[in-house]
Amino acid sequence: MTRETRTLPALAAGPVDAHGRRRRASRRRLVVVTLVALVVTGFAVTLMAGQTFYPPRDVVRVILGEQVPGASFTVGRLRLPRAVLAVVVVASFGFGLAGVTFQTMLRNPLASPDVIGISSAASTAAAIAIVSLSLSGTQVSVLAIVSALAVALLIYSLAFRDGVVGTRLILIGIGIAAILESGTAGGQARRWASSR
């Protein structure tokens, strides 16, 4: 009797817990979709509304590079840079919160993107793109972002063994950061030697 009463709550907790996880995941998706929709709507309204209202068709034409009398200057030179800057500022604030959340989840103040190798991946990729591939501008930024995401996934996959332990993730990240920073330093030394 005692064994049955002990095992019944354990069996009953499984489906309830799975249902709760699904409900939280769907709520999370709903929040993300709602926030993205609000950002896109606010961005569009910022480009259209002001002292002069421009219809969505004119705004799209300006973004695509066409010359629309009156709208090209107002939308292209004034409103678009301000709207993009606002989105970048909000995204930067979100990245700051993500860093704090990252440190809180791993219970370690050392767990930051610059310590565990993510920033090193971006800088190494940017150095390789500039020095070896002769890329510039947006191409360097895109390569740096893709490399940072790839290294973040690599660190996570190497640290995952029956779950992620904070110390294991940090140690693996520090090792990968050291490897990447040595690659960046080697590339800079090679460029300096070739320029002499």
Side-chain angles (χ1 to χ4, degrees), residues 7-88:
T7 56
L8 283 177
L11 291 173
V16 172
D17 193 34
H19 177 69
R21 271 196 301 267
R22 281 194 302 271
R23 198 172 68 226
R24 284 190 299 273
S26 66
R27 188 182 325 143
R28 211 174 298 127
R29 279 192 296 270
L30 178 66
V31 167
V32 169
V33 168
T34 304
L35 290 175
V36 168
L38 285 172
V39 168
V40 169
T41 304
F43 191 81
V45 167
T46 301
L47 295 179
M48 290 186 294
Q51 196 169 12
T52 306
F53 179 82
Y54 294 103
R57 183 185 70 246
D58 290 347
V59 171
V60 170
R61 287 174 55 203
V62 169
I63 291 173
L64 293 176
E66 292 183 31
Q67 289 296 324
V68 179
S72 291
F73 177 76
T74 306
V75 174
R77 301 279 179 156
L78 299 178
R79 294 181 187 173
L80 185 62
R82 291 177 188 168
V84 170
L85 184 62
V87 171
V88 168

Side-chain angles (χ1 to χ4, degrees), residues 114-125:
D114 58 329
V115 173
I116 65 168
I118 297 171
S119 299
S120 300
S123 61
T124 302

Side-chain angles (χ1 to χ4, degrees), residues 16 25 29 34 59 61 79 83 101 123 129 133 141 143 152 154 166 171 195-196:
V16 172
R29 279 192 296 270
T34 304
V59 171
R61 287 174 55 203
R79 294 181 187 173
T101 305
S123 61
L133 304 175
S141 300
L143 186 63
L154 175 69
L171 289 173
S195 65
R196 290 190 71 179

